[in-house]
Amino acid sequence: MSDIEQLRNRINEITLHMTRLLKERTDIARQIGQLKKSSGLGVTDEVREGQLREEIIRLCREIGLDESLGKKFLNFLLNESVKVQSDGKQTHISIFLKAKEMERQGKKMIHLEVGEPDMFPPISAKAGLEEAFDTGRVRYGPTAGIPELRASLAEHVSKNFGRTVGPENILVTPGGRFSVFLAINTLLDPGDEMIVIEPAWPAYRECAINAGVKVRAIQTTLEGRWEPSISQIEEAVNANTKMIVLNYPNNPTGKILPPALQDQIIEIAKKNDLYVLSDEIYFLYAYGDWKSALASNYEKTVITQSFSKSHAMTGFRIGYTVAEKDTVSKMSRLQALCITNVAEPIQYAALKALNSDLSGFKRAIKSKIDTVVAEAKKINLEFEVPDGAMYVFARPKKEGFDGTSFTNRLLDSGVAVAPGEGFGNYKGFIRISVAQDEDTLREGIKILDSVLKGL
Ligand code: PLP
C-alpha cells in the first residue's frame, strides 16, 4: 500500500470513529434534555458551556491544536445538543398554530400570543397596489429594491434615525425576519459566535442554529429591569464572537435600553470588531427615550426594519436593511439566490404608504399598552412597565408557576398567550400581546385571571 493510501485509510478510520462518537454524544445530549425538561430547567446553560470551553482551550494548548479551530468544533457540538434538546419547545408561533387549529374546530379564541397590529394598513398602500397594476409594475426588478423605494427609505432613515444614508445603504427585503436571516447567513460563518441578550425574539437563535452559528445568551432579569451589565457583555466576547444582536424597543419585554448603556455596548462591539445587528422594527412604538443604533456611527451596524408593525402591513411581507454598501451587496447576493427580488407591486404599495401619518397608530398602541398594564396590575402579575413595542412580559406571583403548561391550559379556556420559554430560560413568564381591541384585551385578561386562580 502506498503512503498516501495508508494515510487515507487512517483518515477514514478516524472519521468513522468520530461519527460513532457523535452518535453517542447526541444520544446523551437527548437524555440530558429529557432530564432538564422534567426538572423544569432551560436548554442552554452558559456556565456549563463556559467550563467545557475552558477545558477545550486547555486541551488545544496541550496538544498543539489551533484554539480557534477547537472552539469552532465545540460550537458545532454545542449547537447539535441545543437542537436535539429544543425539540418540542413551545414558542408564540407553536401556540398560534394550536390556537388556529382550535378555531378551525369551532372554538372561540382570543389571540394575545402574536404581535400583529389590529389596525388596518394606511389606505395609500391600496392606492399603491392599484397604481402598480395599472402602470404595469408587475415584472421582475432589481434585487436590492426599486430605486424609488430605496431613495425614499434612505431619506426616511436619514430624517428619523440619526445618520445620513443613501440608497446604496438600503436593501428592500420581504420582511424584517428575512433581513435577520440574510444578515446572519452572510456575515457569519459556521462556528462563529453571536451574542443575544435574552429574553429575545426566538428567530435570532433559530437563524443562528440554522447557520451553524453559536449563540452566547446573556440573561437579563425582571429584577435587573431587563438591562444587561457591561461586564456580562465583555465576558461573553471571545476570538470567535462576530456579532451582537440588539432589539429595542424589545420583544418580549418592551424595554428600551438607556441610550448611554446602548452606546457602551456598541463601544464594546467596536473595540472587538463585532457586527451590531439592531432590530428596530418597533421604533414607532417607542414611548421612552429611544435612540437608533445607527446614530452611534459605527460602520459595522446593520439595522433591520419592517412595514409590519409601524404600518400594520404584516401580510405585505416587506421590510428593509440599512447597512454599509458592502454589507448590502453581500446580503443582496443571497437575496438574489433565494427570491430574485421583493414583489414589485408590494414595493410600490410600501413606497406610497411610507410617509403616511402614523401618529394614530402610535397613540392606539400606547393606549392598548396602558390598558393591559392596568389590568395586569389588578391581577397581581409582576412585570416591568414596557417603554415601547406591544407586549407585556409578566410573571404571576405563584410558587413553581410553569408558563408552558399554563399557556396550554389557558388555550382550553379560549385565550392564547406566548409561553416565556420561547424567549430563553424564562419558564416562569408569559408574554401578553396588546395588539387587540381594548374590550378583547380586558376579556382575555379576565379569563387569564380566572385560570390562574384555578391553579
Ligand atoms: N423582529 C421582531 C423583534 C419581531 O417581533 C418580529 C415579528 O414579530 C419581526 C422581527 C418580524 O417582522 P416581519 O413581519 O417584518 O418579518
Side-chain angles (χ1 to χ4, degrees):
M1 206 187 294
S2 67
D3 284 354
I4 187 160
E5 268 176 87
Q6 276 186 26
L7 290 172
R8 279 180 173 155
N9 283 345
R10 185 73 190 118
I11 284 262
N12 288 0
E13 266 169 39
I14 293 172
T15 311
L16 292 173
H17 185 54
M18 284 170 80
T19 309
R20 275 194 200 95
L21 288 176
L22 180 61
K23 162 80 170 86
E24 192 181 339
R25 189 183 185 283
T26 308
D27 288 346
I28 296 174
R30 195 169 282 117
Q31 282 173 31
I32 293 176
Q34 274 152 8
L35 292 172
K36 279 183 182 168
K37 207 169 187 175
S38 58
S39 47
L41 293 171
V43 170
T44 46
D45 182 339
E46 294 290 340
V47 176
R48 267 263 326 132
E49 290 185 2
Q51 287 162 351
L52 188 54
R53 191 172 290 109
E54 289 306 314
E55 284 183 46
I56 290 288
I57 293 171
R58 262 199 303 278
L59 179 65
C60 286
R61 286 180 190 153
E62 192 187 308
I63 62 178
L65 179 70
D66 175 43
E67 250 178 56
S68 165
L69 180 62
K71 279 191 281 187
K72 282 195 173 188
F73 182 52
L74 173 67
N75 283 345
F76 164 76
L77 295 174
L78 292 175
N79 259 0
E80 288 309 301
S81 304
V82 169
K83 269 191 221 164
V84 295
Q85 294 183 3
S86 298
D87 273 356
K89 197 165 135 179
Q90 309 233 20
T91 65
H92 61 293
I93 301 283
S94 61
I95 294 298
F96 171 71
L97 294 176
K98 269 193 199 175
K100 279 282 170 202
E101 178 55 25
M102 289 166 84
E103 259 174 346
R104 207 184 57 79
Q105 290 168 10
K107 185 152 183 79
K108 186 174 166 278
M109 196 58 75
I110 294 180
H111 288 277
L112 306 184
E113 80 285 37
V114 280
E116 179 151 47
D118 65 319
M119 299 85 81
F120 218 69
I123 194 75
S124 45
K126 181 178 175 217
L129 279 182
E130 278 173 3
E131 211 174 300
F133 196 90
D134 293 343
T135 55
R137 296 173 157 269
V138 291
R139 303 290 177 207
Y140 291 132
T143 294
I146 56 172
E148 308 93 300
L149 181 57
R150 290 178 85 195
S152 295
L153 286 170
E155 241 175 70
H156 165 77
V157 168
S158 305
K159 196 167 112 203
N160 294 297
F161 299 158
R163 193 201 301 176
T164 304
V165 299
E168 68 282 6
N169 301 116
I170 306 285
L171 172 68
V172 179
T173 63
R177 181 184 277 275
F178 199 68
S179 291
V180 168
F181 171 85
L182 290 177
I184 292 175
N185 278 274
T186 48
L187 305 178
L188 306 182
D189 290 316
D192 285 348
E193 295 187 23
M194 177 178 110
I195 297 175
V196 175
I197 301 164
E198 288 187 342
W201 184 51
Y204 310 125
R205 178 183 285 281
E206 288 162 3
C207 277
I209 289 177
N210 182 61
V213 168
K214 169 79 187 80
V215 170
R216 284 295 289 265
I218 289 187
Q219 300 279 319
T220 61
T221 61
L222 175 60
E223 291 70 23
R225 310 195 64 212
W226 303 122
E227 288 178 18
S229 71
I230 290 302
S231 62
Q232 272 179 305
I233 295 186
E234 280 174 338
E235 280 159 23
V237 178
N238 64 45
N240 288 341
T241 314
K242 297 287 153 55
M243 181 180 272
I244 176 157
V245 180
L246 303 178
N247 168 225
Y248 300 100
N250 179 262
N251 173 7
T253 61
K255 176 78 182 173
I256 297 177
L257 282 193
L261 177 55
Q262 181 167 296
D263 281 344
Q264 278 177 291
I265 296 174
I266 294 175
E267 206 43 51
I268 297 174
K270 218 183 224 175
K271 229 170 45 200
N272 294 283
D273 198 29
L274 313 182
Y275 284 101
V276 174
L277 176 64
S278 184
D279 180 348
E280 302 184 354
I281 186 168
Y282 295 105
F283 82 98
L284 182 70
Y285 308 123
Y287 304 104
D289 194 6
W290 176 78
K291 178 179 170 187
S292 166
L294 261 193
S296 300
N297 271 322
Y298 172 46
E299 64 280 5
K300 287 184 84 171
T301 302
V302 180
I303 304 291
T304 55
Q305 265 295 357
S306 174
F307 285 77
S308 287
K309 316 290 172 171
S310 56
H311 292 69
M313 285 168 64
T314 43
F316 284 67
R317 309 307 306 129
I318 185 158
Y320 61 99
T321 302
V322 191
E324 285 292 287
K325 190 174 165 206
D326 284 354
T327 304
V328 165
S329 303
K330 271 191 213 160
M331 290 172 64
S332 189
R333 280 198 289 275
L334 180 58
Q335 170 148 293
L337 191 66
C338 298
I339 61 158
T340 308
N341 62 283
V342 175
E344 197 175 4
I346 298 296
Q347 292 192 61
Y348 207 64
L351 174 66
K352 295 291 165 183
L354 177 63
N355 293 316
S356 316
D357 176 8
L358 302 172
S359 54
F361 284 5
K362 184 164 182 166
R363 275 195 307 275
I365 292 290
K366 176 73 173 90
S367 169
K368 291 168 196 288
I369 292 177
D370 290 347
T371 298
V372 172
V373 164
E375 297 300 314
K377 277 184 177 161
K378 279 187 214 158
I379 65 168
N380 255 335
L381 296 181
E382 292 182 305
F383 58 94
E384 176 80 2
V385 174
D387 304 314
M390 37 202 228
Y391 313 97
V392 172
F393 197 54
R395 180 174 62 194
K397 283 187 200 156
K398 273 201 183 273
E399 195 63 31
F401 174 81
D402 177 337
T404 308
S405 58
F406 174 75
T407 301
N408 285 290
R409 206 158 158 170
L410 190 59
L411 270 182
D412 293 332
S413 300
V415 178
V417 294
E421 75 166 353
F423 306 97
N425 289 343
Y426 297 91
K427 249 184 177 293
F429 286 80
I430 52 171
R431 187 195 72 176
I432 304 168
S433 164
V434 310
Q436 281 292 354
D437 73 80
E438 295 186 27
D439 287 341
T440 308
L441 288 172
R442 283 190 199 93
E443 191 190 339
I445 294 179
K446 207 165 106 194
I447 297 171
L448 191 151
D449 183 36
S450 67
V451 177
L452 264 180
K453 282 184 175 136
L455 287 183

